[in-house]
Amino acid sequence: MAMLLVMFAFILFVVLIVIIWGVAIYNTLVALRNRVKNGWSQIDVQLKRRHDLIPNLVETAKGYMQHEKETFIKVTEARAKAMGASSVKDASAAESELSGALAKLLLTVENYPELKANENFMALQEELTSTENKIAFARQSYNDETMFYNNKIEMFPSSIVAGMFNFKMADFFEIENKAEREAPKVSF
Amino acid sequence: MWELIALNRKKSIFVFFLMMVLLILMGAALGYTVSFWIEASSPVKASIIGGIGAFFVWLILSFVSYTMGNDIVIRASRATQITRESYPRLYNIVEEMKIAAMLPAMPEIYIMNDDALNAFATGMHPEKSAIIVTSGLAEVLSRDELQGVVAHEMSHILNRDTAFLTFAGIMLGTITVMADIVLRGTFFASQNRRSKMSSKNNSGGGNIIILLLIVVFAILAPFFAKIFYLSISRKREYLADATAVRLTRYPEGLASALEKISSSTTPVFAANTITAPMYIASPAGSNIEKEDLGSTHPPIVNRIRILRALQNGGGASYRDYQQAYSKYIEKGFANLIPESGLKENKPVIIRDASKEDNNSSQKKTKRDINDLFIADSGYVSIPCSCGLEIKAPAKFGVTDIQCPRCGKILTVPSITARINKAAEKEEGKRSFSSDEVLQYHRMHPGKWESVLCKCGAQLQLSPLFKSQYLVCKSCKRKIEII
């Protein structure tokens, strides 16, 4: 009789340990998933900030670059497309198009030294460069967090808990920057 | 990496309790010596009271350092805070790194008025942290280099090095002060005893021994505390480099920044033994560092070597850093990076150098940085039409000054406003247009602007003007600045 009691207590003990361990893993998964979500919203915030900066930039540059109408039109159109995009795929395609258009615009600015020397424009350019950097870093940290999260979901033993509570893997954010692709790489 | 965070937490807890014990002992010692000085009846009772008092001191101190630890260290370094508007380039660099590091809140950013090239960070936890950079550094470094330095400091915040160092630093400071007090108390006590040879104290011999022990203790305690503090693993600097490089994806940035820092021999004026370990490079100004007991940082040459190896190797992951470390520093299997870092298997690709702005107006010159400091100390900037900017302290005493360049008479704004108010009160009558408050919307924040008053007078509005109203010189109208 005593043997049975001891066995019962032992099994109960093991079950408790498993439950506690399970709860810990569940909490970790939730925390990681929230970090991924946060990373995604960071990208969103920076993309929106870029949208807000562009009209000012275009207005300032237009005064000096009267004959570059197509460049401005491309930028404005790409911006409208990016702001109107609904699905993630459309958004990422539109955003990379916008990056390309902006890069072309800034390249053209190089030919206008008066514009380059304008105080207002320089401040805007700093903000734009910084926003592009922030988008890149937000993407970077989002991908890092996604990697941690996906690893945790895939690897044993946390994969058991992930399966039980239906944690889905997150997608990596890969931007296809056509402009970057087009730039020739010179090597010696 | 969680192992580092856990280690720092353990060290902090250890210091927490060690300081409690030391402080209580000091308090007891102080109580004992004071009892001699005032010739109290029971030295034992006095030492117990001293011990309990010290316990409360320790409680208050822990609370203060947890809530105000940042501010104490920052104020000791005489730094000025900058905002997005006052220094956009630096603010943006820090914000970029904050996003890359996924820090929960934006750190406060300060500039120290010092030509030396250095930086440090404080913060008891990532939600409330601060990064301090010398003005010399902000002037000299390129964007990539500054980014590397900021990333390094942020890594300290992430790994909780700053939490530990801020806390331990304050404790060390307190112990040193209390030891000093105890020593002085003992000195007085011994003098007192000598002058009252015929005192009723019959356990004379024992008391002298106890006093001697107290003196020895008071001398040694701060010494040991300092040794402990300075012997804190110098490896934390390598670890911060590894994390920084993973954030920036560009090791060359930090490498060339460290190179510039090491080749400058100017020491940091406001640094002392307590704040020294917090800096990115030894603030003592020597560029020859050996790995001995007294140095707070590992040799910069080693750090640069590892970073350059990473840049050439093409990978910036923790594994790459560990490989370079094992190859160049500690040959063998010494593990610098803890397990969780080594487990990351995704390769970390190094990015290209960022194109530095020919946009050098955003990179502030020494004069612009000095303007920030001046504005902070309440100076007022008076522009003359000849182009000269005169900086006068706000409490200047006279209303008019003469421009040293062109001789024109200018009015000092804040004084004028005050004197006008006083004049109005005296005369009892108010200016015809004083009820009218005009409004002016700033069109170019961060730049000088000309404000045209209704009466036709032109006023200059400084980018650093923080008050709500500007007073027109001729018609005395109030203009609200929005």
Side-chain angles (χ1 to χ4, degrees):
Chain A
M1 212 32 208
M3 254 312 253
L4 216 64
L5 214 64
V6 169
M7 263 180 59
F8 183 65
F10 181 67
I11 292 176
L12 198 66
F13 182 65
V14 169
V15 165
L16 243 122
I17 298 254
V18 167
I19 291 181
I20 292 178
W21 166 88
V23 165
I25 293 202
Y26 178 77
N27 285 344
T28 313
L29 282 169
V30 167
L32 287 177
R33 184 174 59 186
N34 284 339
R35 280 174 78 91
V36 169
K37 278 194 198 153
N38 187 18
W40 181 260
S41 69
Q42 279 296 323
I43 301 179
D44 218 31
V45 162
Q46 297 308 325
L47 286 174
K48 286 209 168 58
R49 186 172 162 75
R50 186 166 70 165
H51 294 161
D52 292 338
L53 281 174
I54 289 176
N56 220 344
L57 188 75
V58 166
E59 279 312 307
T60 316
K62 256 191 189 162
Y64 290 79
M65 294 164 49
Q66 266 110 3
H67 303 291
E68 310 283 353
K69 286 222 175 81
E70 304 118 43
T71 333
F72 290 120
I73 291 179
K74 266 214 187 102
V75 169
T76 326
E77 274 180 3
R79 174 176 174 266
K81 215 196 265 184
M83 290 180 74
S86 42
S87 78
V88 175
K89 237 190 194 165
D90 289 343
S92 87
E95 291 296 344
S96 52
E97 211 184 299
L98 182 54
S99 299
L102 273 172
K104 277 220 183 80
L105 174 64
L106 289 176
L107 204 61
T108 327
V109 167
E110 295 291 319
N111 299 330
Y112 293 83
E114 284 166 13
L115 174 60
K116 279 211 298 179
N118 179 313
E119 284 275 333
N120 239 355
F121 185 76
M122 286 202 273
L124 279 171
Q125 197 175 25
E126 157 73 28
E127 285 303 310
L128 195 66
T129 317
S130 176
T131 311
E132 296 276 359
N133 288 346
K134 285 177 202 160
I135 293 175
F137 284 120
R139 232 176 62 220
Q140 179 183 301
S141 57
Y142 170 78
N143 283 340
D144 283 346
E145 293 301 322
T146 308
M147 180 182 72
F148 289 138
Y149 179 58
N150 287 352
N151 274 351
K152 206 68 181 183
I153 291 184
E154 281 182 313
M155 293 209 244
F156 188 81
S158 34
S159 51
I160 306 176
V161 181
M164 269 171 41
F165 292 96
N166 218 2
F167 281 93
K168 292 197 197 62
M169 304 242 287
D171 295 317
F172 287 105
F173 193 77
E174 312 286 7
I175 268 195
E176 298 256 324
N177 198 336
K178 292 200 197 102
E180 274 175 24
R181 286 266 194 90
E182 282 166 12
K185 282 220 159 89
V186 183
S187 55
F188 292 94
Chain B
M1 289 166 271
W2 66 267
E3 290 99 335
L4 299 176
I5 298 178
L7 185 64
N8 272 324
R9 197 170 291 161
K10 270 185 246 172
K11 281 199 268 188
S12 297
I13 293 179
F14 175 68
V15 167
F16 192 60
F17 286 111
L18 178 69
M19 294 298 159
M20 175 176 83
V21 167
L22 277 177
L23 277 176
I24 290 182
L25 284 175
M26 288 254 179
L30 193 62
Y32 195 81
T33 56
V34 165
S35 75
F36 269 95
W37 187 24
I38 60 175
E39 288 206 6
S41 51
S42 160
V44 174
K45 210 199 269 183
S47 39
I48 293 180
I49 295 178
I52 295 181
F55 178 73
F56 281 110
V57 165
W58 170 78
L59 272 181
I60 295 173
L61 205 63
S62 305
F63 179 70
V64 162
S65 67
Y66 190 75
T67 51
M68 286 174 42
N70 287 11
D71 298 329
I72 295 176
V73 176
I74 290 170
R75 225 167 293 175
S77 318
R78 282 176 270 184
T80 310
Q81 187 168 13
I82 63 145
T83 60
R84 193 196 283 271
E85 289 77 28
S86 64
Y87 200 162
R89 184 168 176 262
L90 185 58
Y91 188 90
N92 282 337
I93 292 176
V94 176
E95 197 177 7
E96 289 166 23
M97 281 297 106
K98 173 236 177 198
I99 290 176
M102 289 200 73
L103 218 55
M106 184 73 185
E108 297 175 342
I109 312 170
Y110 292 84
I111 297 196
M112 269 172 73
N113 194 358
D114 201 315
D115 281 333
L117 302 179
N118 223 320
F120 70 96
T122 69
M124 293 305 286
H125 43 90
E127 280 91 0
K128 188 171 179 255
S129 55
I131 294 184
I132 299 94
V133 157
T134 58
S135 55
L137 202 75
E139 271 175 72
V140 164
L141 292 191
S142 77
R143 205 197 177 95
D144 279 336
E145 292 163 351
L146 206 49
Q147 193 183 65
V149 170
V150 169
H152 175 100
E153 294 308 327
M154 220 168 254
S155 309
H156 276 314
I157 297 176
L158 282 175
N159 292 335
R160 305 289 198 282
D161 291 328
T162 53
F164 173 64
L165 281 174
T166 312
F167 182 68
I170 294 180
M171 290 289 153
L172 175 63
T174 315
I175 292 250
T176 315
V177 166
M178 282 200 71
D180 198 40
I181 296 177
V182 169
L183 276 174
R184 283 170 209 267
T186 320
F187 185 59
F188 283 127
S190 69
Q191 285 206 319
N192 220 6
R193 288 209 74 243
R194 250 181 264 136
S195 63
K196 304 221 156 99
M197 270 313 214
S198 57
S199 87
K200 294 177 196 141
N201 252 324
N202 41 15
S203 52
N207 283 336
I208 293 186
I209 292 180
I210 293 184
L211 274 177
L212 262 171
L213 278 176
I214 289 179
V215 169
V216 167
F217 175 65
I219 296 178
L220 286 183
F223 180 67
F224 279 123
K226 199 182 276 192
I227 294 235
F228 166 70
Y229 186 68
L230 291 178
S231 73
I232 292 162
S233 176
R234 284 172 283 270
K235 293 206 171 139
R236 71 175 192 285
E237 290 299 321
Y238 290 120
L239 287 162
D241 281 350
T243 312
V245 140
R246 210 174 157 288
L247 290 177
T248 62
R249 305 291 216 254
Y250 190 59
E252 179 57 33
L254 183 56
S256 64
L258 286 175
E259 230 174 22
K260 283 190 182 167
I261 292 175
S262 71
S263 61
S264 134
T265 48
T266 328
V268 180
F269 182 71
N272 51 40
T273 325
I274 294 186
T275 52
M278 302 185 201
Y279 285 82
I280 189 173
S282 172
S286 139
N287 48 10
I288 307 166
E289 285 179 52
K290 290 170 238 144
E291 195 126 17
D292 58 39
L293 197 60
S295 84
T296 50
H297 293 81
I300 287 196
V301 185
N302 290 353
R303 293 163 71 183
I304 298 178
R305 199 184 293 165
I306 298 180
L307 292 169
R308 290 257 155 84
L310 287 181
Q311 180 78 25
N312 294 334
S317 72
Y318 285 131
R319 272 198 200 160
D320 296 315
Y321 196 92
Q322 174 67 59
Q323 260 176 2
Y325 181 81
S326 308
K327 187 168 172 194
Y328 293 107
I329 316 294
E330 262 185 279
K331 302 188 168 58
F333 296 94
N335 251 4
L336 171 76
I337 309 271
E339 270 310 301
S340 67
L342 293 175
K343 256 199 273 187
E344 287 178 13
N345 40 17
K346 188 165 183 232
V348 174
I349 306 166
I350 294 184
R351 64 170 172 87
D352 297 321
S354 59
K355 300 179 214 76
E356 178 66 50
D357 356 46
N358 9 11
N359 187 352
S360 47
S361 87
Q362 293 304 312
K363 188 175 173 181
K364 289 207 187 245
T365 59
K366 204 182 178 101
R367 251 194 64 199
D368 297 327
I369 297 182
N370 273 335
D371 282 351
L372 288 174
F373 295 124
I374 286 178
D376 216 38
S377 27
Y379 274 60
V380 125
S381 206
I382 308 164
C384 178
S385 52
C386 67
L388 184 69
E389 251 179 61
I390 305 171
K391 284 139 195 161
K395 299 192 186 91
F396 204 43
V398 295
T399 50
D400 295 325
I401 56 172
Q402 193 180 39
C403 169
R405 191 189 279 179
C406 65
K408 191 165 165 199
I409 310 285
L410 305 161
T411 43
V412 180
S414 55
I415 306 295
T416 321
R418 259 184 269 149
I419 290 187
N420 283 336
K421 273 214 185 90
E424 278 171 22
K425 276 197 198 135
E426 270 180 35
E427 292 169 41
K429 51 182 170 155
R430 301 172 37 89
S431 196
F432 73 94
S433 56
S434 63
D435 305 348
E436 201 180 354
V437 175
L438 303 173
Q439 278 190 346
Y440 181 75
H441 289 263
R442 268 188 199 274
M443 287 198 288
H444 307 284
K447 298 204 182 356
W448 281 95
E449 283 178 37
S450 292
V451 180
L452 207 60
C453 177
K454 210 170 184 183
C455 65
Q458 196 183 57
L459 306 151
Q460 300 299 328
L461 182 62
S462 157
L464 298 169
F465 187 77
K466 286 190 189 99
S467 311
Q468 206 188 357
Y469 292 106
L470 194 62
V471 176
C472 174
K473 281 176 291 194
S474 14
C475 66
K476 316 287 181 273
R477 274 192 186 86
K478 282 207 276 193
I479 305 174
E480 191 179 333
I481 304 296
I482 304 166

